[in-house]
Amino acid sequence: MKKKIKVLLPCLLLFILVTGGGCEKKEAADDYLGRLITRAKETEGELSGVLEDGISDVKETEDLVVDFPEELKVSYEEFLKDALKQVQFELNKAEETGDHTYSVRVTYEPIDIAVTTESANLEYAENIASADFCAEVEALLEQDRAMLESAEKQQKKSRTITVTKSGDKFSIDEEEMKELLKDSLQGYMDPYAAVADVFDMRDFIQAYLDASLKGETARYQEHTGLSDEEAAAWYEDSFSEFKMDELSEEQNARLKNAAKGIFKSCQYTVGATKQVSLTEYIFDITITPNTSFLSVMSEFEGGTYYSESEAKEAFLTLYDKYASAPSYGEETTITVTWNAMNMMNVWQENEEYDLLMDTIVPME
């Protein structure tokens, strides 16, 4: 009897294999969609399209000039993967709707990242500690990641996904898949936007100073939309007061050009910036004061002149001298409050602005 069993066992195994008893179940359209969703939750790079769309959307809606740091993409995709793991997807059995075409009804409960992280993000924006854009976003993501398990959930949604079969392979339109994933992660760019808004203002402050003091207007134009001609006129107008009735038109032109040269050599760097209210920001700025105007007056007042023309020439020569070789004081860091609503007009009568300018280039 044992001999018969030994003979029959290989035959039985062969029969099972031939008749399909050992074959895996063929993948259905709904199985395929489920596999893609699982892959998005677990595999690196699967959410890159979702992130790229989010980057474009937030740049447009927030009217940002600063770009999303390339080195931040890996960290942000990891955050999105962790967020997606909190979303449960229920898939109905696929229905054939045409030749090699199937529809799969997906039900899911989106998590609301915006609502979940709003309070923490606002608090973080008020306490940004450095001028490192990427590091600040990564730090906020780490903080927000801890909140994902208890993320606010929206009402259940359903949508139908079309799955196409070609040969033995299924496929889904990439845009349709992205829209499903994006809709399940409501407000997924909000942690980035909370920091980017602040760094965009920091960028504007730096651009404003570079444009108004040095005539380097390219970045300022990106923020304001000014044309080349408008920016040039705006810069020139800021030097309109550099003239003296005692000087000829040619001498006044020389004075203005020398003043421009002194301002161009100003040294400052905008540091850590914080948003303390809807329109108000506080930033640190490190300055090496350009004391050239003080040096001009000190040397001029110490000179002896035997005629008005000699005095005028000496005065202009000193301006030319310090435009070529500026004098500087000791480096210092000050903290300035910047109101986004009145930075263009009221700044001219603002004590904070006066302090800033008097530190960068003291005149008296």
Side-chain angles (χ1 to χ4, degrees):
M1 185 66 180
K2 290 182 179 180
K3 183 176 181 181
K4 287 183 179 181
I5 292 174
K6 288 181 181 179
V7 172
L8 289 173
L9 187 57
C11 295
L12 180 60
L13 291 175
L14 179 61
F15 174 78
I16 291 172
L17 290 174
V18 170
T19 57
C23 295
E24 293 183 5
K25 176 188 172 184
K26 286 188 177 180
E27 186 176 48
D30 49 292
D31 295 327
Y32 171 73
L33 176 56
R35 182 161 59 82
L36 291 188
I37 293 172
T38 300
R39 193 170 72 185
K41 293 181 177 184
E42 298 176 352
T43 308
E44 184 177 340
E46 290 297 313
L47 290 169
S48 60
V50 171
L51 177 58
E52 290 298 336
D53 281 3
I55 292 170
S56 297
D57 290 345
V58 77
K59 190 174 180 70
E60 181 177 350
T61 56
E62 298 292 325
D63 196 23
L64 298 177
V65 170
V66 293
D67 292 320
F68 190 98
E70 192 68 28
E71 61 271 30
L72 180 62
K73 289 183 177 179
V74 172
S75 297
Y76 215 94
E77 283 186 42
E78 285 297 319
F79 174 76
L80 295 183
K81 277 167 52 180
D82 287 346
L84 192 61
K85 289 174 183 176
Q86 307 307 316
V87 184
Q88 299 298 316
F89 295 87
E90 298 174 10
L91 282 63
N92 288 354
K93 185 175 177 61
E95 295 183 6
E96 190 169 359
T97 56
D99 192 21
H100 304 299
T101 304
Y102 303 83
S103 66
V104 181
R105 193 71 175 165
V106 185
T107 303
Y108 54 101
E109 200 172 19
I111 62 169
D112 199 324
I113 296 173
V115 170
T116 301
T117 63
E118 181 180 17
S119 179
N121 292 349
L122 287 173
E123 184 178 351
Y124 193 90
E126 294 175 2
N127 295 283
I128 289 175
S130 77
D132 189 329
F133 189 10
C134 187
E136 292 297 336
V137 178
E138 287 183 333
L140 181 55
L141 289 178
E142 192 61 34
Q143 173 183 297
D144 287 353
R145 182 178 279 110
M147 306 171 69
L148 291 176
E149 288 188 8
S150 56
E152 184 86 14
K153 293 187 177 181
Q154 292 189 343
Q155 193 171 15
K156 278 190 176 183
K157 292 185 176 183
S158 292
R159 64 169 60 206
T160 300
I161 304 295
T162 300
V163 181
T164 304
K165 188 174 185 181
S166 177
D168 293 330
K169 294 183 179 180
F170 290 108
S171 64
I172 293 175
D173 182 83
E174 184 179 336
E175 289 302 314
E176 198 172 4
M177 186 66 186
K178 273 198 303 182
E179 289 305 314
L180 171 64
L181 298 177
K182 286 160 59 176
D183 195 44
S184 69
L185 301 173
Q186 294 291 310
Y188 65 90
M189 293 304 296
D190 273 37
Y192 168 73
V195 177
D197 282 341
V198 178
F199 273 80
D200 200 69
M201 180 54 69
R202 175 182 176 271
D203 190 82
F204 174 85
I205 295 165
Q206 184 79 43
Y208 176 84
L209 293 174
D210 290 345
S212 60
L213 298 178
K214 302 182 178 184
E216 298 170 2
T217 63
R219 193 66 169 176
Y220 181 66
Q221 288 175 247
E222 288 188 53
H223 280 280
T224 61
L226 291 177
S227 65
D228 290 346
E229 294 76 15
E230 290 169 333
W234 174 79
Y235 171 68
E236 286 297 326
D237 186 60
S238 65
F239 286 89
S240 60
E241 294 184 3
F242 276 93
K243 61 181 180 180
M244 301 174 65
D245 293 339
E246 298 83 357
L247 299 179
S248 67
E249 184 176 343
E250 182 180 344
Q251 287 172 325
N252 271 317
R254 181 179 169 187
L255 174 65
K256 181 192 286 189
N257 286 334
K260 285 181 181 179
I262 291 173
F263 275 98
K264 282 180 184 291
S265 60
C266 288
Q267 298 180 5
Y268 49 84
T269 302
V270 179
T273 304
K274 306 172 184 179
Q275 184 174 9
V276 294
S277 72
L278 185 61
T279 63
E280 200 165 67
Y281 299 79
I282 293 177
F283 64 90
D284 294 330
I285 181 167
T286 301
I287 300 164
T288 303
N290 186 330
T291 58
S292 298
F293 289 106
L294 300 180
S295 297
V296 167
M297 295 309 300
S298 177
E299 285 195 39
F300 180 73
E301 290 171 356
T304 302
Y305 314 103
Y306 298 98
S307 67
E308 184 178 343
S309 60
E310 185 180 346
K312 289 178 181 178
E313 179 58 31
F315 182 72
L316 292 173
T317 298
L318 285 171
Y319 260 85
D320 290 337
K321 170 186 172 182
Y322 283 98
S324 299
S327 61
Y328 295 98
E330 293 295 322
E331 181 180 279
T332 184
T333 298
I334 63 173
T335 301
V336 178
T337 300
W338 183 283
N339 193 310
M341 293 301 293
N342 60 15
M343 58 195 168
M344 301 301 261
N345 299 315
V346 185
W347 269 98
Q348 301 307 317
E349 301 174 1
N350 187 286
E351 291 183 5
E352 294 277 346
Y353 180 80
D354 292 341
L355 169 65
L356 176 60
M357 289 298 106
D358 289 345
T359 307
I360 293 175
V361 54
M363 306 287 284
E364 56 184 28

